[in-house]
Amino acid sequence: MKKLACVLALASAFTSVDALAWGGDGHRAVGAIADKLLKGTNAEKQIAALLLPGESLEAIANWPDCVKGTYCGPQSPEMVAYTDANPKHSEYHYTDVPFQLAHYHDGAVGTAEVDIVQTLKQCIAVLQGKTDPALNPHKFTKRQALILLTHMTGDIHQPLHVGAAFVSRDGKFVVPKSHAEVDEAAIFDSRGGNNLLLDDQKLSELSANLIPPGDPKPVKEGVPKALTKPFHSYWDSTTVDYAFRRVRTKTPEQFAQFAIDSKPVIKANTGEPATWPYQWADDALVVSKFAYADVVPGKITPQISKKGETYYTFALEVPANYPVPSSQIAKEQLIKGGYKLAEVLKAIYG
């Protein structure tokens, strides 16, 4: 009963305002789509053996984000054990390949040994039952591998989790040839778009004329309204909100049913499942080019972090109709993520 209570508490935590601010609904939608597609399959049975009572792919989809802090409530012993064993876990969620490029290559600019492609590849190997230690350097359990695969298949279909922007001092997107060129003097790392700042009021005015209205958002007392929104945050959460509104859905479950009913045509992956994260990354690079289309960096501003370190942000201008194509991309990528999650689990379990 204690396990079930924890599961239910975790699931309910995802409906909180704080959770919505970091894209919880998007990840749950990906998991919910896969849950529906796997009904009646052997994969569903094998997955159930790794889940706790009351859990589903939708319910566990935000677990790897929840371990980063207290978004979902106190850390469970399982979460603490995971973070203790994986001090770089926050780096598993993304890679930073310049968005102008066509392919992800191991060791290239913006990639890392612990990035999302390598982590997904490792999770697939673990779930396939491969025991070579070289294929599982983080010593993931099968349950951890399933949880991470569920979440990060969603992450890798968010274009800014793969396609990264690097900006020159004069405000142009550039492609560094090496890690060393990103020196924060001539070429700046936008940190996955987190250092590219949108005018939040202007964005709200643009969307008011283009996106169906949503439910009023609660106002936190004593917390001033932010004047800017990081471009990454816009893609993590705002585009999901817009996508849900445009198809008249309010919950991940409703969006998942919409996705299934729409009968999307999703191109199948080819080759061994271990290669699929590379294919997903390459697809995300294609999509990231649309995400950055006609987006223009502006004024550079030095900032001081909580640790006292200097970093730089850039004002960002987007086209007047940007909420429409960006939310369309988000809708397509969420659906694709759900279908790809189901596809890889079927490939693993049959």
Side-chain angles (χ1 to χ4, degrees):
M1 288 300 292
K2 286 184 178 179
K3 285 185 177 180
L4 180 57
C6 289
V7 171
L8 295 176
L10 183 61
S12 65
F14 292 146
T15 64
S16 71
V17 174
D18 286 338
L20 290 177
W22 42 267
D25 276 357
H27 280 292
R28 287 178 58 199
V30 169
I33 291 169
D35 282 330
K36 291 178 180 293
L37 293 172
L38 293 171
K39 287 289 185 185
T41 66
N42 182 57
E44 181 186 37
K45 295 178 182 178
Q46 298 300 320
I47 291 165
L50 298 174
L51 297 176
L52 301 178
E55 283 185 331
S56 62
L57 296 179
E58 178 186 351
I60 65 171
N62 282 296
W63 193 96
D65 274 345
C66 290
V67 302
K68 296 177 183 177
T70 56
Y71 308 108
C72 312
Q75 298 285 291
S76 69
E78 182 183 28
M79 291 177 171
V80 173
Y82 169 77
T83 55
D84 285 348
N86 294 275
K88 293 187 176 182
H89 65 89
S90 63
E91 298 177 35
Y92 298 170
H93 297 247
Y94 62 89
T95 190
D96 284 324
V97 178
F99 74 85
Q100 299 94 328
L101 300 184
H103 300 288
Y104 172 103
H105 294 291
D106 291 348
V109 174
T111 68
E113 292 181 354
V114 296
D115 70 18
I116 191 168
V117 172
Q118 304 306 318
T119 301
L120 280 166
K121 185 169 65 172
Q122 183 174 332
C123 291
I124 291 169
V126 171
L127 292 173
Q128 288 177 318
K130 296 181 179 179
T131 57
D132 182 349
L135 298 176
N136 187 16
H138 301 305
K139 299 181 175 62
F140 294 148
T141 65
K142 286 191 174 183
R143 173 173 164 80
Q144 289 172 338
L146 175 64
I147 291 172
L148 295 175
L149 179 68
T150 299
H151 180 87
M152 290 170 191
T153 302
D155 272 346
I156 203 169
H157 285 88
Q158 201 274 56
L160 269 63
H161 274 250
V162 177
F166 296 87
V167 191
S168 64
R169 180 168 284 279
D170 59 352
K172 295 179 180 178
F173 291 131
V174 295
V175 180
K177 296 178 181 178
S178 67
H179 294 285
E181 282 192 0
V182 187
D183 57 2
E184 301 299 309
I187 297 179
F188 300 83
D189 183 354
S190 75
R191 303 290 189 266
N194 281 299
N195 291 353
L196 303 176
L197 303 181
L198 297 164
D199 183 320
D200 200 36
Q201 180 61 36
K202 185 175 181 180
L203 182 64
S204 297
E205 292 170 357
L206 291 177
S207 65
N209 297 319
L210 299 169
I211 305 296
D215 295 333
K217 294 183 178 180
V219 177
K220 293 183 179 180
E221 293 186 11
V223 179
K225 178 177 171 56
L227 299 178
T228 60
K229 180 186 289 288
F231 195 47
H232 189 104
S233 176
Y234 172 81
W235 274 94
D236 261 353
S237 55
T238 307
T239 59
V240 175
D241 177 38
Y242 291 171
F244 275 37
R245 287 198 239 164
R246 290 185 67 194
V247 299
R248 302 297 195 275
T249 59
K250 291 188 175 183
T251 68
E253 166 64 27
Q254 291 173 356
F255 183 87
Q257 192 58 56
F258 161 82
I260 302 294
D261 292 343
S262 67
K263 296 180 172 58
V265 177
I266 308 293
K267 183 180 178 181
N269 287 113
T270 58
E272 290 295 318
T275 69
W276 292 6
Y278 292 89
Q279 297 174 44
W280 298 341
D282 286 354
D283 178 74
L285 284 170
V286 172
V287 177
S288 70
K289 292 171 179 56
F290 292 104
Y292 279 101
D294 299 318
V295 172
V296 181
K299 180 182 177 182
I300 182 174
T301 303
Q303 309 277 5
I304 303 297
S305 72
K306 293 180 180 179
K307 296 180 179 180
E309 300 170 344
T310 300
Y311 67 100
Y312 298 87
T313 60
F314 291 83
L316 199 68
E317 291 290 333
V318 296
N321 71 331
Y322 196 72
V324 174
S326 59
S327 58
Q328 176 66 20
I329 289 172
K331 182 191 78 172
E332 293 171 357
Q333 291 301 102
L334 288 170
I335 294 173
K336 191 186 299 178
Y339 272 77
K340 289 303 174 184
L341 177 57
E343 183 183 359
V344 72
L345 288 168
K346 285 180 181 178
I348 292 169
Y349 293 122

